[in-house]
Amino acid sequence: MKNPLRMGVTMREVRNPSTGELRDAVAAAWTDFLAWAVPEGAWLPLPNAGGGAVQALETFGLNALILTGGDDLGASERRDGTERALLELCRTRELPVFGVCRGAQLMWDTLGGALVPVEGHVAQRHPLRSANAMIAMTSDVNSYHRWGLPGGAIPEPITPLAFAPDGSVEAFACPARRWTAVMWHPERETPFRAADRALLREALGVGPARVGA
């Protein structure tokens, strides 16, 4: 990217069990993963504030978006509305977007795809059938989702990048919108994987990571 990389990172909603207070939160693992994968970039967590989050993206000059995982679509009206508004702004500004799990589902839904319930994808690992050179370096992935992307009904703008053994789509791109998405959680891998870093960097439009980084 011509300008320094400044990423907006979305957050999930959590409720404090003792007070009932509603909070926005992002997994701490994202701090470590982004520092490792894109050390030259800066990032800002975006609250589930609808137009307020859109204003923050513009005010702080953010030029990329990461839609994180957690929660099903429909579980939070605030989060759904915020992320859809952010996606629309990124579409009009032609900013790159990288979606993870729920983020991938939202992008798929936005492009007209259907979500279907899947079995054997919650707290599991499974192999991939890859159609992408970088993802081909990955033998298996973690899985934490109850809803999947049907491989037999892929929206026209989407290019599938990988499939699960059951035929559901595990990664895809929409080149016309600069969108890339995966159904696994790269930030939850220990150690982090070079293939996930390479895919994220390509999606964000930055060059290969430095050797030894």
Side-chain angles (χ1 to χ4, degrees), residues 46-169:
L46 295 172
N48 293 303
V54 171
Q55 183 178 11
L57 189 146
E58 295 184 296
T59 299
F60 292 103
L62 306 183
N63 52 16
L65 178 66
I66 295 177
L67 297 175
T68 62
D71 306 320
D72 294 329
L73 295 187
S76 166
E77 184 176 346
R78 291 174 66 246
R79 185 177 185 186
D80 288 350
T82 296
E83 293 186 345
R84 290 188 189 279
L86 288 168
L87 268 181
E88 177 59 19
L89 179 64
C90 288
R91 183 190 67 80
T92 60
R93 296 288 180 83
E94 299 184 346
L95 301 180
V97 181
F98 187 79
V100 170
C101 197
R102 172 205 151 90
Q105 295 174 41
L106 178 67
M107 293 158 77
W108 182 274
D109 177 78
T110 300
L111 292 168
L115 300 175
V116 297
V118 290
E119 297 182 358
H121 284 263
V122 177
Q124 302 286 332
R125 298 193 71 88
H126 63 70
L128 287 180
R129 176 164 57 87
S130 176
N132 175 275
M134 283 180 291
I135 297 177
M137 297 187 289
T138 302
S139 58
D140 67 342
V141 295
N142 58 55
S143 188
Y144 294 94
H145 52 272
R146 297 181 298 171
W147 294 89
L149 318 177
I154 299 173
E156 185 176 347
I158 283 179
T159 300
L161 303 179
F163 297 88
D166 61 8
S168 60
V169 175

Side-chain angles (χ1 to χ4, degrees), residues 34-50:
L34 291 176
W36 173 78
V38 281
E40 70 273 45
W43 64 279
L44 182 73
L46 295 172
N48 293 303

